[in-house]
Amino acid sequence: MPSNRRGLAVMALLLGFAGTNAQAGNTGGIFGPVINADDRSLQYRYARVTENDRFAHRLHYQHAFNAKYRGRAVVQYRDQPSGQDFDQLRLELQHQFVDAREHNGIWHSALRGDLVIRDDNRPEDIGLHWTNQWTLSDRWQATALLFTLRQVGDQRLPGIQISSRYQLAYRYHGRHRIALESYNSHGPLNELGIPDDQQQQAGPSLSGQWQKIGYKPGYLRGLNTATPEDTVTLWLNLAL
């Protein structure tokens, strides 16, 4: 990849870190477009907001149908004053429509559709999300996501909600990586911006795999007063 193109890609990603605002969802992730046909896995995620000691945890099962399509089922619980409370059931289907492995390219791309179901008359979500991943060099990789979300129900957010997520990752040894991540919310489509009342988070993470066990500890720092100051996360993944 020419150095000027690599530099422009890195600059655009870092501008995304500096100038956008974060998606809430402490257990959310920056998912890549690449689908491995033999992917069958379980994953547990845990996230804790340090100032109020509240936490959330989720479990999901991931199943690739082939090298183009992958499904996922997610159940999530959150800590409430009354104790552990069901938060959501999520069903996802991802389609990888650009695969660099097929033409020796430098980028992959995929779309993912989501359906999120909640109880207690809370709104439900219908989402369509795009993820793109660039191979900048043998060790550097960039990922950008665009989320579009429509809520249904009595307490729904207005219009189509837009958010974005970014990751710049460095592979330092084998399958082990260090990354800088950003989670951003831009409000409804007809009022896009950087609203101060939306959560904005960014921070580092480590990830890797040892035999069939994958791991990812991370830290997110709130970038405005609407966001918790410190959030710590831990993911554990088991290949089946």
Side-chain angles (χ1 to χ4, degrees):
M1 182 179 184
S3 59
N4 59 337
R5 291 174 59 193
R6 184 182 301 126
L8 287 173
V10 173
M11 183 179 296
L13 190 71
L14 293 178
L15 285 174
F17 284 129
T20 51
N21 40 37
Q23 169 85 350
N26 294 330
T27 59
I30 300 175
F31 64 93
V34 178
I35 296 175
N36 296 315
D38 59 349
D39 183 8
R40 313 287 189 274
S41 59
L42 285 171
Q43 187 176 89
Y44 170 75
R45 298 185 184 181
Y46 174 85
R48 179 178 291 273
V49 177
T50 59
E51 54 259 49
N52 60 17
D53 214 29
R54 294 284 176 81
F55 62 89
H57 54 118
R58 70 184 254 186
L59 181 68
H60 76 236
Y61 171 68
Q62 188 165 279
H63 184 106
F65 304 109
N66 50 47
K68 297 292 185 182
Y69 290 92
R70 180 176 63 205
R72 180 190 287 175
V74 179
V75 62
Q76 178 164 298
Y77 283 79
R78 288 189 180 274
D79 181 36
Q80 301 290 349
S82 58
Q84 290 294 300
D85 188 30
F86 170 77
D87 183 44
Q88 62 179 246
L89 171 67
R90 177 189 297 265
L91 302 175
E92 305 172 356
L93 179 64
Q94 180 167 325
H95 169 50
Q96 183 176 358
F97 61 89
V98 176
D99 191 338
R101 296 168 296 188
E102 296 178 351
H103 49 79
N104 197 30
I106 65 168
W107 60 283
H108 306 266
S109 201
L111 291 173
R112 193 184 82 186
D114 294 357
L115 174 62
V116 178
I117 300 170
R118 301 182 178 91
D119 61 3
D120 296 332
N121 295 319
R122 293 180 297 159
E124 298 176 343
D125 300 346
I126 300 172
L128 181 62
H129 319 310
W130 166 81
T131 174
N132 204 83
Q133 190 172 82
W134 295 268
T135 300
L136 305 177
S137 71
D138 289 342
R139 292 186 178 272
W140 288 95
Q141 189 177 75
T143 306
L145 284 78
L146 175 66
F147 279 63
T148 64
L149 177 70
R150 180 77 184 214
Q151 289 196 324
V152 296
D154 294 338
Q155 303 178 48
R156 65 184 179 272
L157 293 172
I160 299 175
Q161 297 289 316
I162 306 297
S163 60
S164 62
R165 302 176 186 179
Y166 303 91
Q167 183 189 79
L168 181 63
Y170 174 75
R171 181 176 58 84
Y172 62 89
H173 177 70
R175 302 182 69 176
H176 303 276
R177 303 191 310 166
I178 184 170
L180 179 63
E181 301 181 344
S182 175
Y183 294 75
N184 318 288
S185 178
H186 306 287
L189 181 60
N190 61 341
E191 299 178 8
L192 291 181
I194 308 176
D196 291 334
D197 60 349
Q198 302 273 357
Q199 293 196 0
Q200 309 173 38
Q201 294 174 297
S205 68
L206 293 170
S207 62
Q209 186 162 342
W210 182 75
Q211 295 186 3
K212 291 187 175 183
I213 302 295
Y215 68 89
K216 183 185 175 184
Y219 167 77
L220 291 171
R221 177 70 177 179
L223 303 180
N224 63 3
T225 57
T227 311
E229 288 188 0
D230 302 290
T231 300
V232 292
T233 63
L234 175 64
W235 299 6
L236 296 173
N237 192 79
L238 174 65
L240 302 177

